[in-house]
């Protein structure tokens, strides 16, 4: 299985036939694999290099500087710093769509920083003091807006691909009520001996909760997605450069499309070059994500366009915040 790489600029600046072709390709790849790679997204190499530089600077802060903006856990949207082991993806997988049997003691080896929209007064962001990390807040607020714009273009293409009425998806994830989250991720260096014991991984297999996820990663490797053509297997999601964006389907889009487009199961494990080793330090890894989410008061039930006449929707009508809180509670 090989993931396709699509050029978003064909949709944003191309002729109508090129736009139509991109939309059809996006629909095909996300329906088939739950994953696709995107280039031509409009984010500059300079900006991507800057966000990775800020990523590293943030996680180099001392414990005390991060602890004052620690996310308290629980079911509220994540804001600020989550230390290694605070969130565990195995819990999401165990209670999610597949309800797989996974041991309760499994732990993730990662820490992350999460932020929401500047317009979100209900769940305000938690920022390090300006004198601790000057310029960080200003850059990250700008980065969030840029990622939001890319997500909107991809969702518009999906509306077109499925011949949905204009706004059928985008009106459920508005700029004014944006509940999406940007995340900086750091996977500390870890000894293969600990990995081989079987209780710790970088991230255990899981689905994301939002609509789609946009991701940039460094060159260390380890991201894998489910190979739907070979049950139970995972394949590497590498990139030619860290400016190549990875996009995956998340649970809300699966619900909206009544299982027409299924969420992409994925994990982060050790790089291929370490798989046969019994010991030795796996290098640290950094990635940058944008979890595109529905407005909190938007329904995450199946859209009528995806429910055949005479059939019952597979997913009940509930708000996005109700769904997310029920799922996030299991991750902490």
């Amino acid at each position: 299985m090989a993931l396709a790489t699509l050029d978003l600029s064909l949709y944003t600046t191309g002729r109508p036939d090129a736009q139509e072709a991109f939309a059809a390709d996006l629909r095909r790849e996300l329906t088939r694999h739950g994953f696709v790679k995107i280039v031509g997204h409009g984010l500059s190499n300079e900006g991507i290099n800057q966000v990775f530089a800020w990523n590293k600077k943030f996680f180099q802060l001392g414990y005390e500087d991060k602890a004052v903006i620690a996310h308290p856990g629980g079911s509220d949207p994540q804001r600020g710093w989550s230390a290694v082991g605070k969130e565990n993806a195995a819990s999401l997988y165990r209670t999610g769509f597949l309800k797989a049997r996974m041991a309760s003691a499994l732990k993730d080896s990662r820490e992350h920083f999460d932020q929401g929209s500047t317009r979100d007064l209900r769940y305000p962001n938690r920022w390090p003091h300006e004198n601790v990390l000057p310029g960080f807040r200003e850059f990250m607020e700008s980065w969030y807006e840029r990622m939001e714009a890319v997500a909107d273009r991809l969702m518009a293409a999906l509306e077109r691909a499925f011949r949905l009425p204009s706004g059928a998806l985008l009106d459920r994830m508005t700029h004014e009520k944006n509940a999406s989250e940007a995340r900086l991720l750091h996977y500390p260096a870890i000894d293969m001996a600990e990995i081989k014991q079987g209780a710790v991984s970088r991230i255990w297999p899981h689905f994301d909760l939002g609509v789609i996820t946009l991701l940039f990663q460094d060159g260390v490797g380890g991201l894998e997605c489910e190979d739907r053509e070979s049950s139970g297997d995972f394949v590497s999601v590498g990139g030619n450069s860290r400016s190549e964006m990875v996009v995956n389907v998340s649970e809300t889009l699966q619900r909206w499309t009544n299982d027409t487009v299924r969420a992409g199961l994925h994990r982060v494990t050790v790089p291929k070059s370490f798989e046969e080793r019994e010991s030795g330090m796996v290098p640290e890894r950094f990635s940058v994500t944008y979890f595109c989410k529905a407005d909190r008061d938007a329904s995450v039930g199946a859209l009528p366009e995806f429910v055949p006449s005479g059939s019952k929707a597979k997913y009940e009508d509930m708000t996005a915040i109700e769904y997310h809180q029920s799922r996030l509670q299991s991750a902490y």
Side-chain angles (χ1 to χ4, degrees):
M1 176 188 124
L3 295 180
T5 301
L6 305 182
D7 185 348
L8 181 56
S9 69
L10 296 176
Y11 186 80
T12 54
T13 63
R15 294 158 43 109
D17 58 340
Q19 293 176 331
E20 191 71 24
F22 174 87
D25 289 345
L26 182 66
R27 171 180 174 170
R28 183 191 66 245
E29 294 305 316
L30 292 183
T31 302
R32 179 182 297 171
H33 300 301
F35 272 81
V36 71
K37 298 178 185 179
I38 297 291
V39 296
H41 41 63
L43 298 171
S44 69
N45 289 336
E46 178 184 8
I48 294 167
N49 288 336
Q50 287 176 328
V51 76
F52 274 97
W54 282 116
N55 192 341
K56 184 169 290 190
K57 288 178 182 178
F58 175 82
F59 291 110
Q60 287 175 339
L61 294 177
Y63 173 83
E64 294 78 10
D65 291 325
K66 292 184 289 188
V68 296
I69 59 165
H71 177 64
S75 61
D76 286 347
Q78 293 156 309
R79 298 290 184 265
W81 177 57
S82 293
V84 173
K86 287 296 184 181
E87 182 192 63
N88 288 294
S91 299
L92 287 175
Y93 184 33
R94 191 167 57 247
T95 60
F97 283 170
L98 295 186
K99 297 182 173 58
R101 296 185 177 224
M102 297 183 75
S104 60
L106 299 180
K107 300 296 182 183
D108 294 343
S109 180
R110 60 187 167 107
E111 58 179 334
H112 48 92
F113 169 84
D114 294 278
Q115 72 180 93
S117 168
T118 57
R119 293 170 296 284
D120 188 356
L121 303 181
R122 182 176 176 183
Y123 301 105
N125 288 316
R126 300 165 180 257
W127 297 103
H129 293 297
E130 184 65 16
N131 62 348
V132 170
L133 200 58
F136 177 70
R137 176 175 181 173
E138 180 182 8
F139 176 85
M140 290 303 299
E141 288 178 344
S142 171
W143 177 258
Y144 182 100
E145 300 284 342
R146 283 178 272 174
M147 293 291 278
E148 178 187 13
V150 177
D152 283 352
R153 291 194 287 272
L154 290 167
M155 296 307 298
L158 282 177
E159 283 186 351
R160 181 169 185 160
F162 283 105
R163 302 293 187 261
L164 297 174
S166 177
L169 300 177
L170 286 171
D171 286 353
R172 295 168 180 257
M173 33 186 291
T174 63
H175 178 71
E176 293 74 19
K177 297 181 179 181
N178 192 350
S180 303
E181 293 157 6
R183 172 176 288 185
L184 302 179
L185 276 149
H186 174 230
Y187 305 82
I190 187 170
D191 197 314
M192 275 301 299
E194 184 175 1
I195 295 287
K196 289 292 185 179
Q197 290 175 6
V200 175
S201 185
R202 287 195 145 167
I203 301 183
W204 291 97
H206 67 287
F207 302 108
D208 295 334
L209 301 183
V211 181
I212 57 173
T213 299
L214 317 183
L215 173 133
F216 292 105
Q217 55 184 332
D218 63 15
V220 171
L223 175 63
E224 296 181 344
C225 70
E226 179 188 24
D227 183 354
R228 294 178 177 174
E229 299 169 356
S230 180
S231 179
D233 290 340
F234 285 79
V235 295
S236 175
V237 184
N240 295 320
S241 73
R242 67 183 183 186
S243 63
E244 187 175 71
M245 176 186 287
V246 177
V247 176
N248 66 269
V249 177
S250 303
E251 292 185 8
T252 299
L253 186 56
Q254 177 169 339
R255 292 175 61 94
W256 279 347
T257 63
N258 208 39
D259 284 353
T260 301
V261 184
R262 293 187 293 117
L265 183 66
H266 56 289
R267 67 186 184 185
V268 178
T269 182
V270 299
K272 290 294 183 185
S273 59
F274 278 81
E275 286 183 342
E276 302 303 322
R277 301 189 190 184
E278 296 296 326
S279 62
M281 295 301 295
V282 181
E284 65 180 348
R285 180 182 187 271
F286 294 90
S287 63
V288 178
T289 63
Y290 179 81
F291 299 112
C292 174
K293 295 187 173 182
D295 293 351
R296 296 194 183 103
D297 58 359
S299 172
V300 294
L303 298 179
E305 292 86 353
F306 293 95
V307 182
S309 177
S311 299
K312 183 180 179 181
K314 296 180 180 180
Y315 299 104
E316 70 276 19
D317 187 21
M318 62 191 304
T319 67
I321 189 62
E322 289 171 339
Y323 180 67
H324 283 225
Q325 287 184 329
S326 69
R327 297 284 283 108
L328 280 175
Q329 187 66 52
S330 67
Y332 285 89

